[in-house]
Amino acid sequence: HNPKYLRRKEQKIKNPMNNIFEVFEEFCDKQRIERLRGCIDHERALSNCQSRNNQSDDGSKNISEALSASSSPSPLCQLEMDKLWHCRALALKCGNDWISYSRCFSDKIEMNAMIENTTSNSNRSNDNQEQSINGTTVHTSDMTNNNTASCDAEQTVMKMCIAKNAAALEERLEKRKR
């Protein structure tokens, strides 16, 4: 009964769950990488749109570069940008943040439509009227084109999640190479 032998045997007995977790984590990381590869089509579509509209590349392959970009795309390329961020969010476990951003964006579109409808209807007075947007009451007197809801906070949270999870993925991949 060699004490060295027993220590090795104890290590093997103590670590089977760690090994299972590591195998599962590696499997999940491979799936994430494949999903991120699937985002290349969205990157190309965004790049093509921006080229057609002479815009800077806000959807670069490097996530940290995209996060530092200060300008947002014109409405002409917004759909392509959203598809790219959606793809990245799902690939990197940030789906809940994408949902929050998406809901905010939908609410913004709905609010803009209500503003247009309210301002174009001259028979209605804007005073003391209320509209409901996804359960939130909005006074139409407060709605102007300059005062629409912004989704910058939700978008920033989503981008931060993507950047954090991308960095963690890169770190795990580097660790496995060693």
Side-chain angles (χ1 to χ4, degrees), residues 35-45 61 84 87:
R35 288 187 201 121
L36 285 170
R37 285 187 182 131
C39 298
I40 291 172
D41 292 339
H42 299 297
E43 291 173 9
R44 286 187 192 127
K61 290 181 185 178
L84 176 58
C87 185

Side-chain angles (χ1 to χ4, degrees), residues 123-136:
N123 294 333
R124 289 173 45 182
S125 169
N126 286 340
D127 296 335
N128 298 322
Q129 290 186 17
E130 295 179 347
Q131 297 284 336
S132 178
I133 301 174
N134 287 348
T136 303

Side-chain angles (χ1 to χ4, degrees), residues 95-162:
N96 287 337
D97 295 321
W98 167 257
I99 290 170
S100 296
Y101 170 69
S102 180
R103 283 184 182 150
C104 177
F105 197 72
S106 295
D107 291 349
K108 184 177 179 179
I109 291 170
E110 188 176 333
M111 183 178 286
N112 286 338
M114 285 177 24
I115 290 168
E116 288 177 24
N117 195 17
T118 302
T119 57
S120 67
N121 189 350
S122 60
N123 294 333
R124 289 173 45 182
S125 169
N126 286 340
D127 296 335
N128 298 322
Q129 290 186 17
E130 295 179 347
Q131 297 284 336
S132 178
I133 301 174
N134 287 348
T136 303
T137 302
V138 179
H139 295 277
T140 56
S141 60
D142 294 337
M143 297 188 305
T144 67
N145 284 326
N146 296 327
N147 193 25
T148 57
S150 174
C151 300
D152 291 344
E154 289 83 355
Q155 186 178 40
T156 299
V157 168
M158 177 187 66
K159 287 180 177 183
M160 287 172 50
C161 176
I162 290 170

